[in-house]
Amino acid sequence: QIVLVSGHLDSWDVGQGAMDDGGGAFISWEALSLVKDLGLRPKRTLRLVLWTGEEQGGVGAEQYYQLHKENISNFDIVMESDEGTFKPMGLAFTGTSEARDIVREIMTLLLPINITDIYDSAEGTDIDYWMRAGVPGASLRDDISKYFWFHHSRGDTMTVQDPNQMNLCAAVWTVVSYVIADMEEMLPR
């Protein structure tokens, strides 16, 4: 059984893609790294996917879905970060009301860093196939007030990234993915 965390590599025009979506790729990598560094071994596999071809119609995500959809019942949740890695506000979630209640309870673990909100409708080109097929999905919600200052511009460089904000994003990603991966049962569908 699999808990999938992801971001995509789509610096395809004028920028370096550090924020869009290098930040999402980084926090997904960091989530797995933190779990390993802490010596944690969840009941389910934590899988990192660094998508390609998102800007070209999501062809990488479509290919991955086609290759793995026969095992769809083993995918517990799919998570994608694609709105930068600015100050996190919470998690957007798509799934049943029972699954939402569980995720809401998991988010209470983040009360010490004041990131507990749950929003409707997870978004992500790369996880849409899975969510349409009934797999629960989550996307990071963060303060995107500056997102379009840098989105697909020459300004999308590493200088946009704030290490403290990225650490908070990675904390959200790590806690949510690890707890779901270590629960006795998969999220209800």
Side-chain angles (χ1 to χ4, degrees), residues 1-186:
Q1 296 173 341
I2 298 161
V3 169
L4 185 147
V5 294
S6 68
H8 56 257
L9 306 171
D10 69 345
S11 175
W12 64 280
D13 50 9
V14 297
Q16 295 175 0
M19 177 206 63
D20 179 29
D21 184 37
F26 175 81
I27 67 165
S28 297
W29 181 284
E30 184 69 3
L32 274 63
S33 179
L34 287 168
V35 168
K36 183 179 180 193
D37 289 350
L38 292 169
L40 301 172
R41 298 195 51 86
K43 293 174 179 66
R44 286 173 201 78
T45 298
L46 284 170
R47 180 177 291 172
L48 167 66
V49 177
L50 301 177
W51 308 105
T52 59
E54 188 262 354
E55 293 292 348
Q56 293 77 27
V59 294
E62 181 180 9
Q63 172 132 14
Y64 183 87
Y65 178 75
Q66 294 302 328
L67 290 171
H68 296 280
K69 69 181 180 181
E70 66 187 31
N71 296 317
I72 198 164
S73 64
N74 287 325
F75 281 79
D76 197 351
I77 188 169
V78 291
M79 299 168 57
E80 179 179 359
S81 172
D82 182 26
E83 290 185 346
T85 43
F86 297 106
K87 183 177 184 245
M89 298 164 35
L91 200 68
F93 181 78
T94 295
T96 65
S97 59
E98 296 87 2
R100 177 180 297 282
D101 289 342
I102 292 168
V103 172
R104 182 174 285 114
E105 187 68 24
I106 293 168
M107 292 299 287
T108 65
L109 296 170
L110 295 164
L111 187 58
I113 59 173
N114 198 30
I115 305 168
T116 59
D117 290 339
I118 299 285
Y119 301 87
D120 289 334
S121 302
E123 296 176 354
T125 301
D126 298 309
I127 60 173
D128 276 345
Y129 292 102
W130 299 95
M131 292 188 301
R132 283 195 301 254
V135 176
S139 54
L140 182 68
R141 281 287 173 91
D142 58 335
D143 176 5
I144 62 166
S145 59
K146 296 179 184 175
Y147 180 77
F148 289 103
W149 293 6
F150 307 105
H151 180 255
H152 292 217
S153 77
R154 284 183 172 75
D156 188 0
T157 66
M158 283 304 296
T159 59
V160 173
Q161 301 290 353
D162 178 315
N164 294 323
Q165 291 178 356
M166 289 188 74
N167 285 341
L168 291 171
C169 292
V172 172
W173 232 221
T174 304
V175 167
V176 172
S177 64
Y178 173 76
V179 172
I180 291 173
D182 201 46
M183 294 187 325
E184 288 301 321
E185 303 290 330
M186 290 177 61

